Amino acid sequence: MKKISALIVCLVCCCTATSQRTYTLEQLKDSALHHNIAIRHAQHSIEAAIEQRKEAFTKYFPNVSAMGLRFSASKHLAKMSFKPVDMLPKSVEPFMAALSEMLPANTLSVLTDPISFAMIKNATIGSLRAVQPVFAGGLIINGNKLAKVGEDVSRLQLQLSENEVEKATEQYFWQLASLQEKMKTLDVVDTLLSDIHKDVDVAVRAGVIMRNDLLRVQLRQNDIESQRLKVQNNISIVRLMLTQYCGLPDTSFVITYQTDAPSVLLSHQDHEQALLETAEYQLLNKQVEAADLQKKIAVGQNLPTVAVGAAYNYHNLMEYDRSYGMVFATVSVPISDWWGGSHNIKRRKIEYLQAQEQLADNAELLKIRMQKAWNNVEEAYKQLLLAQRSIEQAQENLRLHRDYYRAGISRMSDLLEAQLLYQQSLDKHTDAFANYHNKLLEYRHSTGQRDGED
């Protein structure tokens, strides 16, 4: 029965181990880029900017419009009443007097009785018109250029979003790696303390040393166990954050990485050239370009516009179908707009000057950020090498104190202090290792480098 239970436990452990997926840093970054909501929002912004650019392009084509009207009025729109005799000139009055004596009265009534008529009570009107702008003060051309700048800005903002997602993913990754290395350190220290505990326990039973030394070792073991609980809790939290951020199915995954210090330092970039490759600098350039186009559009809004067109019209106002075509040209001069337009142009010129000044100032700040990031990389690399040497020294110091204690020429407090120094050196190396990779990450992003570039 015990054999069957042991077999079941082994099978469960094997299934659990095989169900764990292993991820590299690049795989986690790729997963984060596909699942992060900020990336999706940036991609939607690009799609909207593309549609806006296409919309602006349609302004080059004629503006075609159609109009139709059918009405039925309660009264005729045109109504008139008159006497035919009133339409005759006064010079024929003697002739009319002679006719009144010669003709019957009912015959003369045709000229003297009023005549009434009305028209246009129901009608249909239709028109089809096409207008082609010939000159619009550069509004169409500059509007299309501005829409293209907006699309470029959206793509640069997507790049910045990708950089931020990759940066956050890598920070979570090295934070988890650091915690896992600290857990390994605790395992090493726990094994070391167990060996010391065995030696001290034998010595206490033999009556060579006092029980006080054994209690000191046990207290240190309790402290290690307390540290283990804290590290385990932090690991579970970081795993949850990484799972949510990268869209992983669950927290049962394993990450792979190298803990050896690089033999050579990352190559230094030409900061003047690297500045041109950064998304931040390119965005500043786009702001200057957009401000310049806004200024040109403001000027164009105060220039005359010229257009030509053709139209086809139909109506039956006089109760007869009538259709005709026409061609025309229009010139529009915004006279009253000049009053406020001049101030708008001046405002746009000031904004263009501000964008240029901001570009120059922020370019210097970006280069300072690059140099600072490089200094941090150099410092982190040297700290990593020092931490690696410290491990070797602390390990040798621990070995000597353990030999001295066994020989009876060293105290337990000295041995435990040597053990603590050894643990601290391992933790410092772990922190230095994670810090070095974070500083590399900051330098790559500050110089506009993509993943895999040196």
Side-chain angles (χ1 to χ4, degrees):
M1 189 67 182
K2 291 182 178 180
K3 290 183 178 180
I4 296 176
S5 300
L7 180 60
I8 294 174
V9 171
C10 290
L11 290 174
V12 171
C13 292
C14 290
C15 292
T16 303
T18 55
S19 65
Q20 287 184 333
R21 296 193 61 181
T22 301
Y23 295 100
T24 63
L25 176 59
E26 297 307 318
Q27 288 174 330
L28 289 175
K29 285 182 179 180
D30 184 67
S31 180
L33 291 175
H34 284 85
H35 291 86
N36 192 270
I37 189 171
I39 300 299
R40 292 201 297 270
H41 284 174
Q43 290 171 342
H44 292 329
S45 297
I46 291 178
E47 295 170 0
I50 291 174
E51 296 302 323
Q52 186 175 8
R53 174 177 57 81
K54 292 179 179 179
E55 177 188 355
F57 184 74
T58 61
K59 302 300 180 182
Y60 285 113
F61 302 104
N63 181 13
V64 180
S65 61
M67 186 274 292
L69 173 64
R70 171 67 184 175
F71 69 87
S72 178
S74 60
K75 297 180 180 180
H76 290 88
L77 300 183
K79 190 174 183 180
M80 177 178 259
S81 178
F82 67 95
K83 294 179 180 180
V85 69
D86 293 336
M87 306 297 293
L88 299 175
K90 293 183 178 180
S91 58
V92 299
E93 289 182 358
F95 176 72
M96 291 298 298
L99 287 175
S100 62
E101 295 177 358
M102 297 172 57
L103 297 175
N106 58 352
T107 302
L108 289 176
S109 65
V110 175
L111 296 176
T112 58
D113 292 344
I115 299 176
S116 300
F117 72 92
M119 61 181 180
I120 312 179
K121 185 176 182 182
N122 304 299
T124 301
I125 301 173
S127 174
L128 179 65
R129 185 176 67 169
V131 180
Q132 173 64 52
V134 178
F135 176 75
L139 295 178
I140 297 177
I141 295 176
N142 292 322
N144 274 267
K145 290 180 179 179
L146 188 61
K148 181 61 172 62
V149 170
E151 182 182 348
D152 294 339
V153 168
S154 297
R155 296 187 185 278
L156 289 171
Q157 289 174 340
L158 172 62
Q159 183 178 337
L160 286 177
S161 297
E162 290 175 345
N163 291 343
E164 289 300 318
V165 170
E166 290 178 353
K167 182 178 180 181
T169 303
E170 189 160 345
Q171 287 174 341
Y172 284 135
F173 180 89
W174 291 118
Q175 187 178 0
L176 179 58
S178 175
L179 290 169
Q180 290 185 167
E181 289 302 312
K182 288 184 177 182
M183 184 62 74
K184 292 178 182 179
T185 298
L186 291 175
D187 292 338
V188 172
V189 173
D190 188 48
T191 302
L192 175 63
L193 288 173
S194 295
D195 293 339
I196 295 176
H197 184 275
K198 291 178 182 179
D199 295 340
V200 175
D201 186 53
V202 171
V204 169
R205 292 185 180 185
V208 177
I209 61 175
M210 298 178 63
R211 186 174 177 80
N212 187 45
D213 286 350
L214 183 61
L215 293 175
R216 290 188 180 205
V217 177
Q218 292 173 344
L219 287 173
R220 181 57 57 85
Q221 287 178 317
N222 292 339
D223 181 59
I224 294 300
E225 189 62 29
S226 175
Q227 294 180 37
R228 185 190 301 277
L229 292 174
K230 291 181 180 179
V231 173
Q232 286 176 341
N233 181 60
N234 290 334
I235 287 177
S236 64
I237 295 300
V238 176
R239 280 179 172 275
L240 285 173
M241 294 297 296
L242 205 54
T243 300
Q244 186 275 334
Y245 202 75
C246 299
L248 304 181
D250 50 57
T251 58
S252 59
F253 61 88
V254 178
I255 60 174
T256 60
Y257 51 90
Q258 297 292 331
T259 57
D260 297 333
S263 57
V264 293
L265 186 61
L266 175 75
S267 60
H268 183 275
Q269 300 292 314
D270 181 357
H271 292 170
E272 289 290 342
Q273 182 63 31
L275 177 66
L276 306 179
E277 303 298 327
T278 61
E280 293 88 347
Y281 182 79
Q282 294 175 26
L283 271 176
L284 291 170
N285 263 323
K286 291 300 177 182
Q287 289 179 2
V288 174
E289 188 176 350
D292 184 38
L293 291 172
Q294 291 283 8
K295 179 188 66 176
K296 292 179 180 179
I297 289 175
V299 173
Q301 289 173 342
N302 293 275
L303 296 178
T305 58
V306 180
V308 295
Y312 173 81
N313 302 285
Y314 164 84
H315 71 81
N316 60 356
L317 294 176
M318 304 298 293
E319 297 183 357
Y320 293 98
D321 294 338
R322 180 171 176 80
S323 61
Y324 57 92
M326 61 183 296
V327 293
F328 58 89
T330 64
V331 178
S332 176
V333 182
I335 297 176
S336 62
D337 291 345
W338 289 344
W339 303 335
S342 61
H343 299 291
N344 184 30
I345 293 173
K346 291 179 181 178
R347 178 170 62 87
R348 293 298 183 183
K349 287 181 178 179
I350 294 172
E351 291 175 353
Y352 175 61
L353 179 61
Q354 287 177 329
Q356 288 180 313
E357 292 175 347
Q358 187 177 7
L359 171 63
D361 183 60
N362 287 0
E364 294 299 321
L365 293 176
L366 288 173
K367 287 189 287 186
I368 291 174
R369 187 184 71 173
M370 292 179 192
Q371 186 59 46
K372 181 181 178 182
W374 173 252
N375 293 343
N376 291 337
V377 169
E378 288 186 315
E379 179 184 351
Y381 181 72
K382 293 176 182 178
Q383 292 286 0
L384 180 57
L385 295 180
L386 286 173
Q388 201 164 12
R389 289 200 297 268
S390 297
I391 291 177
E392 299 171 359
Q393 295 166 355
Q395 192 172 15
E396 178 63 16
N397 179 59
L398 177 60
R399 186 188 67 80
L400 290 175
H401 275 82
R402 190 169 184 178
D403 292 342
Y404 294 156
Y405 182 77
R406 287 174 176 174
I409 59 175
S410 177
R411 297 174 301 177
M412 174 56 68
S413 59
D414 296 332
L415 176 58
L416 293 178
E417 183 179 356
Q419 173 271 319
L420 180 61
L421 290 175
Y422 177 63
Q423 179 185 352
Q424 290 175 346
S425 66
L426 292 175
D427 287 340
K428 285 182 179 179
H429 179 268
T430 299
D431 293 337
F433 178 75
N435 182 61
Y436 173 69
H437 282 281
N438 285 327
K439 297 306 179 184
L440 282 180
L441 172 66
E442 292 176 6
Y443 183 67
R444 288 202 310 269
H445 281 264
S446 67
T447 54
Q449 298 180 63
R450 305 297 293 174
D451 289 337
E453 297 180 356
D454 291 334

